[in-house]
């Protein structure tokens, strides 16, 4: 059927196969069909163009589902000009055209569908029709969004059954049990964070693009090698102060279930007020810093100057107040407005030298890296989003567990590299010992005081990064101390292995655990319904900005009544104000 030519006597498996074939031929050959008769045993159609003699008739063979062409009359004289759209190119037909492509690429965009159909068939279909076809195709492959919410309670139970100790809870609102929130944290993640990760938690959210929208909130950390370590995630109907308070409350509960004392944590976020308030209330002894990636992107968008971004990073990484003030002075020289803009963010929340907590050199969270895990699944039902995260977690835990088996150093690779560089530089220094714990370390450029008792150096690198700096290494080696014993435990290979020691186990496929849902249940069992808010159909509207309008001077309106600017005579309130004053 590649050439879409029919012959009398040609057979098809059944009526459906014949209808699909005639539809494909009409679309590919650019003519419209007028169906005269179509049922389960016969099919009669002609060309829709007036005066075109083309006709086709097909019937079902006796005692078999097979369809065969009985007659084929005339040739097309219509010019086959059905190019701008086609009645046979229905949404169902587009779904059949894109289904395999959608399986391979969830982000198969409507504009790409339009392009591929035009390329293969030479017809143009409306954008909204392609959008609807994609929605219907995703639902056919992955299930509907409504079904996803309905099956959430059963799926959460499967998570807890397959991974004992995990937290997976659905929260609803209203008498009709509308979905409100979901919280998930696998036991392997909780255990790994408490026993092998840096005491740092990044917080952030990403918008979902399924039918009912929502936001994915997440908490991530860093393993001993500086890698992404997802701790917990949740889905909320709307991201606001209340949802962040709830998310951090659930995170606190999950940690308290697995340890008597929640460790002293440092949080990294974009600094929005809802997160700040939630951290202060739920983790009152913790430190909270602004994510430098977010802050640098903000200043870049605000002032469109890459030098400002570079200087801001330099100021953030400065380890002395003098170095910090020098960089801030340079920012002032480049743009006084930018320097003033930065003042709205307290230096104690972003500058390394003023921050009271410990970040171990991590000035930015790794939330963006985690968000990349679900970029392709953002348009899918909620269960598919969770499955994407679960699958990725399972693969990453296994891969990193195996990878660490080949490490024979004391420290994880990135920390070991930093240590080796420090040892290399330390060999060029002169060490003067003051007492049992205090040393003066002389280099070509400077002199630093090291105290191995309090584990600090006047350069501040040791305190800020948790790994002995080159000055500390020189002092430790001079008195034959083990430099690795003075490194924070969270950077060791042992900690890395502990982080991934627990397995994330697979969850049975949907067909298996759906049976438990379909089994008889109490009439009182609530059914989770989707949120009331849903995404409107079609392409989201974009506010287009004309470049000429941006460069054009704004017109200042003038009031002829009070001689003031900013309003017209018709909206002038001068008389009203005058009467109020008189009163």
């Amino acid at each position: 059927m590649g050439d879409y030519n029919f012959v009398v006597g040609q057979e098809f498996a059944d009526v459906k196969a014949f209808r699909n074939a005639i539809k494909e031929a009409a679309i590919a050959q650019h003519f419209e069909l007028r169906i005269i008769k179509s049922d389960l045993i016969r099919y009669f159609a002609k060309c829709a163009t007036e005066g075109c003699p083309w006709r086709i008739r097909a019937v079902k063979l006796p005692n078999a589902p097979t369809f065969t062409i009985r007659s084929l009359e005339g040739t097309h004289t219509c010019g086959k000009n059905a190019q701008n759209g086609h009645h046979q190119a229905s949404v169902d037909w587009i779904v059949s055209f894109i289904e395999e492509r959608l399986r391979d690429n969830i982000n198969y965009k409507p504009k790409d569908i339009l392009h591929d159909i035009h390329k293969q068939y030479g017809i143009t279909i409306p954008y909204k029709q392609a959008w609807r076809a994609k929605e219907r195709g995703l639902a056919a492959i992955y299930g509907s969004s409504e079904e996803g919410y309905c099956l959430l309670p059963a799926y959460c139970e499967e998570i807890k059954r397959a991974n004992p100790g995990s937290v997976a809870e659905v929260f609803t609102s209203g008498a009709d049990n509308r979905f409100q929130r979901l919280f998930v944290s696998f036991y392997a993640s909780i255990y790994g964070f408490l026993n092998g990760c840096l005491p740092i938690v990044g917080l952030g959210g990403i918008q979902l693009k399924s039918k009912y929208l929502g936001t994915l909130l997440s908490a991530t950390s860093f393993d001993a090698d500086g890698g992404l370590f997802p701790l917990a995630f949740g889905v909320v109907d709307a991201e606001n102060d209340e949802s962040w308070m709830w998310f951090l409350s659930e995170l606190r509960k999950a940690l308290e279930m697995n340890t008597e004392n929640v460790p002293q944590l440092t949080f990294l976020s974009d600094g929005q007020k809802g997160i700040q308030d939630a951290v202060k209330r739920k983790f009152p002894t913790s430190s909270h810093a602004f994510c430098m990636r977010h802050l640098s992107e903000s200043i870049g968008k605000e002032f469109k100057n890459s030098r400002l971004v570079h200087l801001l990073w330099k100021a953030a990484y400065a380890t002395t107040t003098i170095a910090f003030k020098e960089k801030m002075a340079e920012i002032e020289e480049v743009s006084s407005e930018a320097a003033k803009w930065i003042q709205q963010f307290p230096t104690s929340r972003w500058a390394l030298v003023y921050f009271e907590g410990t970040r171990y050199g991590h000035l930015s969270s790794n939330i963006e890296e985690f968000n990349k895990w679900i970029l392709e699944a953002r348009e899918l039902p909620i269960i598919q989003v969770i499955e994407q995260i679960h699958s990725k977690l399972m693969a990453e835990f296994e891969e990193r567990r195996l990878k660490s088996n080949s490490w024979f150093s004391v420290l994880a690779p990135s920390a070991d590299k930093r240590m080796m560089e420090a040892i290399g530089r330390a060999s060029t220094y002169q060490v003067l010992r003051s007492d049992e714990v205090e040393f003066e370390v002389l280099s070509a450029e400077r002199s630093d005081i090291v105290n191995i008792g309090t584990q600090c150096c006047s350069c501040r690198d040791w305190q800020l990064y948790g790994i002995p700096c080159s000055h500390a290494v020189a002092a430790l080696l001079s008195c034959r101390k083990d430099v690795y014993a003075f490194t924070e435990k969270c950077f060791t290979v042992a900690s890395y292995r502990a982080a991934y020691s627990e397995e994330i186990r697979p969850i049975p496929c949907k067909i298996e655990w759906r049976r438990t849902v379909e089994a008889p249940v109490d009439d009182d069992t609530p059914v989770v319904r989707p949120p009331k808010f849903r995404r409107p159909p079609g392409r989201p509207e974009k506010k287009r900005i004309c470049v000429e309008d941006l460069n054009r001077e704004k017109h200042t309106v003038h009031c002829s009544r009070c001689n003031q600017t900013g309003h017209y005579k018709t909206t002038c309130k001068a008389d009203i104000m005058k009467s109020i004053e008189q009163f």
Side-chain angles (χ1 to χ4, degrees):
M1 289 304 301
D3 56 1
Y4 305 107
N5 289 323
F6 297 109
V7 294
V8 175
Q10 190 172 344
E11 295 184 351
F12 301 84
D14 52 29
V15 64
K16 186 178 179 181
F18 173 75
R19 286 172 180 166
N20 288 340
I22 194 71
K23 181 182 286 189
E24 283 279 324
I27 294 170
Q29 296 181 355
H30 300 171
F31 67 88
E32 292 285 3
L33 277 173
R34 178 170 295 167
I35 300 171
I36 299 169
K37 187 74 175 177
S38 177
D39 54 33
L40 296 177
I41 60 172
R42 58 198 160 182
Y43 184 97
F44 182 32
K46 64 177 185 176
C47 180
T49 304
E50 194 69 34
C52 184
W54 186 88
R55 304 280 190 279
I56 190 169
R57 187 168 67 90
V59 297
K60 177 182 172 296
L61 294 179
N63 305 319
T66 308
F67 244 63
T68 184
I69 296 176
R70 277 281 186 259
S71 65
L72 189 61
E73 303 172 13
T75 56
H76 284 283
T77 60
C78 56
K80 299 180 182 179
N81 55 3
Q83 294 180 7
N84 292 323
H86 199 292
H87 286 113
Q88 299 302 318
S90 61
V91 171
D92 287 336
W93 175 80
I94 300 172
V95 170
S96 65
F97 174 80
I98 67 174
E99 188 168 349
E100 286 306 313
R101 292 173 171 85
L102 268 181
R103 289 184 189 275
D104 296 335
N105 178 18
I106 297 169
N107 291 321
Y108 189 32
K109 297 179 180 178
K111 67 177 183 179
D112 296 326
I113 296 173
L114 299 179
H115 175 268
D116 291 347
I117 288 177
H118 186 270
K119 183 179 179 181
Q120 185 162 335
Y121 295 99
I123 62 169
T124 302
I125 60 171
Y127 179 93
K128 189 170 283 190
Q129 199 168 359
W131 187 89
R132 285 175 180 153
K134 181 184 176 180
E135 289 282 292
R136 198 175 295 181
L138 288 174
I141 298 168
Y142 300 103
S144 67
S145 295
E146 291 79 6
E147 179 191 43
Y149 288 107
C150 182
L151 296 175
L152 262 183
Y155 187 68
C156 287
E157 289 304 313
E158 285 298 318
I159 289 176
K160 292 185 282 190
R161 187 187 64 77
N163 296 269
S166 298
V167 181
E169 299 294 338
V170 185
F171 299 81
T172 59
S173 64
D176 52 354
N177 290 301
R178 296 282 178 182
F179 172 83
Q180 187 180 22
R181 296 164 185 152
L182 165 76
F183 182 86
V184 178
S185 184
F186 290 94
Y187 173 72
S189 293
I190 300 170
Y191 179 89
F193 172 71
L194 292 172
N195 293 277
C197 287
L198 276 63
I200 300 174
V201 177
L203 300 173
I206 183 174
Q207 289 288 323
L208 300 178
K209 295 183 177 181
S210 62
K211 186 176 179 180
Y212 294 95
L213 300 175
T215 302
L216 179 84
L217 307 182
S218 51
T220 62
S221 186
F222 297 89
D223 62 29
D225 198 35
L228 166 68
F229 190 93
L231 172 57
F233 61 92
V235 178
V236 295
D237 54 354
E239 182 184 3
N240 49 40
D241 296 357
E242 186 184 345
S243 61
W244 274 114
M245 191 69 73
W246 162 83
F247 182 74
L248 286 175
S249 175
E250 294 301 311
L251 179 61
R252 176 94 194 187
K253 289 179 197 173
L255 294 176
E256 288 177 339
M257 286 167 55
N258 292 273
T259 184
E260 291 183 4
N261 298 307
V262 175
Q264 185 83 14
L265 300 176
T266 294
F267 286 89
L268 297 171
S269 76
D270 61 7
Q272 61 175 283
K273 189 177 183 301
I275 298 180
Q276 290 188 59
D277 292 344
V279 168
K280 193 180 296 183
R281 184 168 172 183
K282 298 301 177 181
F283 294 87
T285 61
S286 66
S287 303
H288 188 190
F290 295 139
C291 170
M292 269 305 297
R293 181 185 292 110
H294 178 82
L295 194 59
S296 64
E297 287 175 356
S298 296
I299 196 173
K301 289 176 183 176
E302 187 75 21
F303 297 98
K304 307 290 188 300
N305 189 322
S306 59
R307 177 156 171 74
L308 284 175
V309 174
H310 176 73
L311 288 172
L312 185 67
W313 276 103
K314 288 285 188 181
Y317 270 111
T319 55
T320 64
T321 54
I322 295 172
F324 175 81
K325 289 175 181 177
E326 284 176 355
K327 296 304 171 188
M328 293 303 293
E330 287 186 52
I331 291 175
E332 178 77 37
E333 287 177 14
V334 175
S335 170
S336 58
E337 286 296 317
K340 187 178 179 181
W341 180 88
I342 294 170
Q343 289 175 10
Q344 66 182 300
F345 306 101
T347 53
S348 60
R349 288 293 182 87
W350 60 273
L352 201 60
V353 70
Y354 292 111
F355 185 66
E356 293 181 358
T358 306
R359 284 185 281 182
Y360 300 102
H362 291 287
L363 270 64
S364 300
S365 74
N366 46 20
I367 287 292
E368 292 299 319
E369 188 180 345
F370 175 74
N371 288 343
K372 288 177 183 176
W373 285 16
I374 60 114
L375 280 180
E376 291 187 355
R378 283 201 294 169
E379 296 185 32
L380 298 181
I382 188 169
I383 283 182
Q384 271 65 46
V385 175
I386 306 169
E387 284 184 339
Q388 176 82 358
I389 296 171
H390 169 257
S391 300
K392 187 72 174 173
L393 276 172
M394 198 161 57
E396 288 290 328
F397 267 57
E398 179 66 18
E399 181 185 330
R400 295 181 187 187
R401 190 162 43 242
L402 293 173
K403 180 175 68 174
S404 67
N405 289 336
S406 62
W407 297 348
F408 299 104
S409 58
V410 176
L411 304 181
S414 60
D416 193 56
K417 181 184 177 184
R418 188 179 182 90
M419 179 65 82
M420 289 298 104
E421 290 172 352
I423 291 172
R425 290 195 300 272
S427 62
T428 65
Y429 299 160
Q430 181 185 355
V431 180
L432 303 176
R433 188 166 187 168
S434 174
D435 55 31
E436 286 296 313
V437 293
E438 196 166 75
F439 302 79
E440 182 179 3
V441 181
L442 305 175
S443 64
E445 306 87 18
R446 55 188 289 171
S447 167
D448 287 278
I449 306 300
V450 175
N451 189 311
I452 63 173
T454 57
Q455 296 192 9
C456 64
C457 175
S458 58
C459 78
R460 300 201 70 217
D461 273 22
W462 195 359
Q463 302 94 294
L464 295 173
Y465 291 90
I467 299 172
C469 60
S470 57
H471 314 111
V473 168
L476 290 166
L477 291 177
S478 72
C479 58
R480 302 177 184 240
K481 299 282 187 182
D482 180 8
V483 293
Y484 296 104
F486 289 81
T487 304
E488 290 289 342
K489 182 186 173 185
C490 57
F491 290 111
T492 63
V493 170
S495 290
Y496 186 93
R497 289 172 180 161
Y500 299 104
S501 59
E502 294 292 324
E503 291 184 16
I504 292 184
R505 302 188 180 278
I507 298 168
C509 66
K510 190 189 292 187
I511 294 174
E512 292 184 27
W513 55 262
R514 267 175 81 175
R515 288 176 188 148
T516 62
V517 180
E518 292 165 0
V521 292
D522 297 335
D523 292 337
D524 296 334
T525 303
V527 175
V528 178
R529 303 181 188 280
K532 287 185 178 180
F533 181 80
R534 56 174 289 179
R535 181 184 63 190
R539 188 201 308 228
E541 290 186 5
K542 288 186 178 179
K543 186 178 180 181
R544 303 188 182 278
I545 301 173
C546 179
V547 177
E548 292 179 1
D549 290 344
L550 288 175
N551 297 328
R552 186 183 301 144
E553 284 188 22
K554 291 184 179 179
H555 173 65
T556 303
V557 296
H558 185 82
C559 176
S560 59
R561 175 179 292 170
C562 66
N563 293 323
Q564 299 296 316
T565 58
H567 63 273
Y568 292 103
K569 177 182 176 181
T570 53
T571 57
C572 182
K573 297 179 181 179
D575 289 345
I576 299 173
M577 296 303 295
K578 188 175 180 181
S579 61
I580 291 173
E581 289 173 3
Q582 289 175 350
F583 178 76

